[in-house]
Amino acid sequence: MTHTWILSALLGALLCLGGCQRAPRGEQEDLVRQGRLALARGEATRAVSLLRKAVKRAPRRDDARILLAQALEKAGKPGAAEQSLREGVSERPSSPDLWLALGRVRVRRGRYDAAIRALQRAGKLRPGDPEVAFALGQLYERHRLWDVARSHLR
């Protein structure tokens, strides 16, 4: 309980950096912010609800969709998380962030071949990205493709 309170206080302080007198934000931004806070507090079900609304209102917003996938995983629905990200890459196939998130979800689900394809797509869209290279390197290492893994982990 104490940890939740401390985390909430820290998140509130971070949100107020630069002054708490923020200009009014749109409903989508508020939903994403509230969803992020709910996820940080461990309120996965509430986060899913808020973030689904945010994605519905702004389906091309990558951060909302990625947060929704994280919340769905925390809520014990990894299949729904993958489906949400597949919908995202269908709508925005040029988003390396969505492909990277999809690859990571697939790794956690044990869908390694599908994960490699998603991560390779992210790498093509954002060449040289260290996150993508590291994720691919780890995955190739898991498949015992040592030479390929080494090339990504350098």
Side-chain angles (χ1 to χ4, degrees):
M1 185 68 167
T2 304
H3 292 101
T4 302
W5 182 85
I6 292 170
L7 181 59
S8 298
L10 287 172
L11 286 170
L14 286 172
L15 289 172
C16 286
L17 285 178
C20 285
Q21 300 300 321
R22 295 190 320 252
R25 295 182 186 228
E27 183 181 353
Q28 298 161 8
E29 187 64 34
D30 287 339
L31 287 169
V32 172
R33 183 183 54 77
Q34 290 173 20
R36 182 175 282 135
L37 287 171
L39 188 57
R41 290 180 180 143
E43 300 167 358
T45 304
R46 182 167 187 269
V48 167
S49 175
L50 291 163
L51 293 164
R52 276 196 172 134
K53 289 176 189 174
V55 168
K56 186 175 181 179
R57 287 172 174 79
R60 297 176 59 84
R61 189 169 168 168
D62 295 350
D63 63 334
R65 190 169 296 273
I66 292 167
L67 284 168
L68 172 58
Q70 291 171 356
L72 285 163
E73 281 190 296
K74 293 282 185 193
K77 300 177 180 179
E82 183 176 351
Q83 176 61 34
S84 177
L85 290 167
R86 279 198 320 259
E87 290 169 7
V89 297
S90 174
E91 293 169 8
R92 292 186 28 82
S94 63
S95 170
D97 294 324
L98 289 173
W99 284 106
L100 177 59
L102 178 59
R104 288 177 171 163
V105 167
R106 286 176 169 172
V107 167
R108 288 189 290 274
R109 295 192 71 206
R111 301 191 61 231
Y112 302 121
D113 291 337
I116 288 173
R117 289 190 300 275
L119 293 170
Q120 285 174 335
R121 183 74 179 264
K124 286 179 184 173
L125 292 167
R126 193 183 295 148
D129 183 293
E131 283 186 86
V132 175
F134 186 71
L136 269 170
Q138 286 183 312
L139 202 46
Y140 287 135
E141 186 177 53
R142 183 174 284 164
H143 281 282
R144 299 181 186 268
L145 299 169
W146 309 116
D147 293 335
V148 180
R150 247 188 310 276
S151 72
H152 284 280
L153 293 173
R154 285 185 186 183

